[in-house]
Amino acid sequence: MIKIGVIFGGRSGEHEISLMSAASVINALDKTRFQPFFFGITKEGKWKYFEGTTSEIESGQWEKKGKMFNPGQLKEMVDFALPILHGPYGEDGTIQGLFEMIDIPYAGCGVLASSVAMDKAIAKDIFAKADLPICKHALTYTESFMSADKTADEKLLAEEAEKIEQRVPYPMFVKPANMGSSVGITKAKDREDLYKALIEAAKYDRRIVIEEGIDCRELETGVIGNHAPQAAAVGEILPSAEFYDYKAKYFDGGQTKICVPADIPEDIKEQIRDIAVKAYMAIDCAGFARVDFFLEKKKNRIYINEINTIPGFTKFSMFSKLWEEAGIPYPQLIERIVDFGYERYHAKNSR
């Protein structure tokens, strides 16, 4: 039996979503093959070993009942690490670096792919070099328009907005470069909106990406594998809000719809799956990831948006549903991801 350490929580703004994903994964694990151990990370970055129930994980009670734990001792307790951490300090290569340092097999992408996928600006640069279709975008830094006391400088803000407008047309989306779950994203329709959006994004990251707002459908597919990755079915998000923001994703009472499979032509689906695999390989992903796309409504033009290396992972999440549609049920999907983690570890350490 494999002793598997499920790691959840974390310091990011997606802490609560991680708890939901982790509880779902633990419940679905084949207990005849895996013996799960629970490790939570508080919002302050403290590790705790928890021996309670998944309902206590989801409710946050694990934090009060857990015992302080030294992550350097992880390998002494478990055979394999399964990080279910969304956003910074979990999906960005930092915890993957820890696993590499203590020499333990783990699920998902390595340090490089995790950090690249997390930074939307860097990822777009690599997608462009791989001749993959991306929308118009620009990159700015908070230092370009914020004063030393962390308030917006009106003159600098106007100068930066003008530079952005020369590269990206309205409407545009303003995003922290290193966040997930649509945290800190704002749609700007004019200069005044842009000012507010830049200041909002600056709360979450010093690097800010500005993207062209395309009249589009939002499509996604899942990819699993290492050296020979495969793409799942293609699904569509029908957000309850103007765009698929944090509230629409998690707290709209089910008004946002997930359509699997997406109602689009088969040739479009094949193009999306093909681009997804190419993007996955371009940044050296491993194990699993979800790849998000825009499909321009008027011209049916496809744009790759981003790669999520630890996507939402409940049995109701898009990633799980896409693979269920492709013939791989949720418990089996988790097993495959663990197997890919071992495969990658042994391939790396056999040299």
Side-chain angles (χ1 to χ4, degrees), residues 224-297:
I224 59 173
N226 292 334
H227 62 279
Q230 296 179 313
V234 177
E236 180 174 11
I237 298 292
L238 299 174
S240 57
E242 185 177 8
F243 66 97
Y244 199 34
D245 61 5
Y246 185 81
K247 183 179 179 181
K249 282 187 176 182
Y250 303 113
F251 301 105
D252 72 346
Q255 295 180 60
T256 289
K257 304 298 181 184
I258 294 177
C259 300
V260 179
D263 185 16
I264 57 175
E266 285 301 320
D267 64 317
I268 298 293
K269 292 179 183 178
E270 285 304 315
Q271 289 179 58
I272 287 172
R273 282 193 284 261
D274 180 61
I275 294 170
V277 169
K278 288 177 179 176
Y280 186 92
M281 297 182 73
I283 66 170
D284 195 31
C285 286
F288 69 110
R290 194 191 71 229
V291 190
D292 301 349
F293 292 86
F294 299 137
L295 178 64
E296 191 174 13
K297 290 180 179 178

Side-chain angles (χ1 to χ4, degrees), residues 90-134:
E91 196 175 348
D92 61 357
T94 50
I95 199 164
Q96 290 77 12
L98 170 65
F99 299 148
E100 295 285 351
M101 288 177 67
I102 64 175
D103 189 32
I104 188 171
Y106 60 94
C109 294
V111 175
L112 175 65
S114 298
S115 59
V116 167
M118 193 67 194
D119 192 298
K120 298 173 181 65
I122 297 296
K124 287 182 187 298
D125 288 344
I126 294 177
F127 296 155
K129 289 179 180 178
D131 292 324
L132 302 178
I134 58 173

Side-chain angles (χ1 to χ4, degrees), residues 323-343:
W323 279 108
E324 186 175 12
E325 177 68 20
I328 302 178
Y330 187 56
Q332 187 180 338
L333 178 63
I334 297 168
E335 289 189 36
R336 287 206 184 187
I337 287 169
V338 173
D339 289 341
F340 287 131
Y342 270 116
E343 178 185 86

